[in-house]
Amino acid sequence: MHINLSNAATQQVKPAKIGFSWTVFFFGCLPPLFRGDWKWFFILLIVEAVFGLPTFGFGAGIIGIIFSFFYNKIYINDLLDHGYQAADDYSREALRSHGFIR
């Protein structure tokens, strides 16, 4: 389910997906980098390096799978904390039905 979040102060609109993050599943720490989510890019990069280096990459894959279940929720919550709001009625209802807003 795709939604749009807009920031009234900066007039930016950012798309987001609710649910499992297939991009993190396949590409690891790169989706946060491309979204400009620096904090979670570095967190995921460090965690993948810590678990991936001693296991020849296997640990990084496991971290990517686990993180795929949570990243989109973390990303949306960070955007909401930084002043973004639902850009339309569909997005508002989707956020409400998934427990992001009341």
Side-chain angles (χ1 to χ4, degrees), residues 25-99:
F25 179 78
F26 287 114
F27 303 111
C29 64
L30 294 179
L33 174 67
F34 295 138
R35 292 179 181 178
D37 191 2
W38 297 104
K39 176 179 76 172
W40 286 103
F41 165 71
F42 286 115
I43 290 171
L44 189 54
L45 179 69
I46 291 168
V47 171
E48 284 183 346
V50 166
F51 286 97
L53 289 175
T55 61
F56 300 104
F58 182 73
I62 298 298
I63 295 299
I65 292 169
I66 293 169
F67 206 73
S68 297
F69 288 97
F70 303 105
Y71 178 67
N72 284 337
K73 184 174 184 173
I74 292 168
Y75 180 65
I76 291 171
N77 281 327
D78 280 350
L79 289 177
L80 292 173
D81 289 342
H82 285 98
Y84 283 82
Q85 298 176 349
D88 51 41
D89 292 334
Y90 173 78
S91 298
R92 187 174 301 105
E93 188 55 38
L95 289 172
R96 186 174 293 121
S97 68
H98 286 87

